[in-house]
Amino acid sequence: SVSNAVIIGREAATGGNITSAADFTVAVGREALRALTSGPGNVAVGHYAGGKITTGAENVAFGSGSLSTNVDGSYNTAIGNLALETFEADSANHGENTAVGWKAAANLTTATNIVAIGAKAMGTGTVTGDSSVAVGYNAGAALTSGDNNIIIGTNAAKLLTTGQRNIAIGTGALDAANGGEDFNIGIGDGALGALDGANQNVALGCFAGETATSVTNAVIVGTSACGNGAMTSEADGTVAVGHSALRVL
């Protein structure tokens, strides 16, 4: 039988015949850790928080419905109602995800090593790609199988789904990219904000390349550089450096 546990709430930690392997469990709230059997060191606070965990270890779930479908994944941190709601490890003990905020990474399923901070950050897409970071309201909201992306800022890369190894930092950076855009760097509010279906661009500065659409292999540095023209593939390989440089290209 379990020892050194704190269990408070109707049907909290009641459904799984807890063994001594689950010592030091904390379950607070109706049906929190309801199915727990042998998973050690779990902390769950909130209605049905961690409700299906059986053997998963060292998970932290704060908020109603947080981490509620995980069975055997481990080392996850979900703080906020419905954070990591649909996560379930693809194999025992996989996980190591961190989600903080209402519906942060709410539809993440099998991804690992994810960081999602902010309401609805990575919150709508079925996230399966590993090792991405999204910080800010709605940042990386639609991400699915795209991996190794770094997304920081309100609505940054909010439509990106399968793209990988992009860096979007700033409100609305890369926010029109809606598929498999890869290897782009947009740093600054609105940087590469209209880019769609293009790869391997660098834009540094507020509104740098903001209206560029399908250009590839461009380097754009400076506030509003290439900021007003709908750059297409005909402008591939462009280099613009300086405030408003090639602004209408």
Side-chain angles (χ1 to χ4, degrees):
S1 61
V2 69
S3 61
N4 297 301
V6 176
I7 301 171
I8 302 172
R10 182 177 177 180
E11 299 183 81
T14 59
N17 298 318
I18 303 177
T19 70
S20 60
D23 288 354
F24 304 103
T25 290
V26 176
V28 179
R30 181 172 180 173
E31 298 182 289
L33 291 175
R34 180 176 181 176
L36 189 67
T37 56
S38 60
N42 291 288
V43 177
V45 178
H47 176 226
Y48 210 65
K52 290 188 177 179
I53 294 173
T54 58
T55 60
E58 307 289 343
N59 294 289
V60 176
F62 275 75
S64 294
S66 57
L67 205 61
S68 59
T69 63
N70 178 44
V71 175
D72 55 359
S74 299
Y75 316 116
N76 298 284
T77 300
I79 300 176
N81 288 352
L82 305 179
L84 286 176
E85 178 188 16
T86 63
F87 171 73
E88 167 50 8
D90 57 357
S91 62
N93 294 319
H94 276 196
E96 300 183 68
N97 298 295
T98 299
V100 179
W102 176 66
K103 286 193 173 182
N107 292 321
L108 183 150
T109 56
T110 58
T112 60
N113 306 120
I114 291 293
V115 176
I117 300 175
K120 296 198 289 186
M122 285 193 220
T124 58
T126 302
V127 183
T128 59
D130 299 333
S131 304
S132 286
V133 175
V135 178
Y137 170 76
N138 217 34
L143 199 66
T144 57
S145 62
D147 58 55
N148 291 283
N149 295 288
I150 298 174
I151 303 167
I152 301 174
T154 297
N155 288 324
K158 66 182 181 183
L159 300 177
L160 188 70
T161 56
T162 61
Q164 60 180 333
R165 300 184 185 276
N166 296 285
I167 298 174
I169 300 176
T171 298
L174 272 170
D175 68 345
N178 61 3
E181 295 82 3
D182 302 325
F183 309 111
N184 294 291
I185 299 173
I187 299 178
D189 287 358
L192 296 177
L195 198 72
D196 184 9
N199 307 312
Q200 298 175 326
N201 296 288
V202 176
L204 308 179
C206 286
F207 314 117
E210 182 182 24
T211 56
T213 57
S214 56
V215 68
T216 296
N217 296 317
V219 176
I220 304 166
V221 180
T223 300
S224 296
C226 298
N228 280 351
M231 294 175 70
T232 66
S233 58
E234 294 179 353
D236 286 356
T238 291
V239 177
V241 179
H243 184 282
S244 296
L246 296 175
R247 184 170 185 176
V248 296
L249 184 65

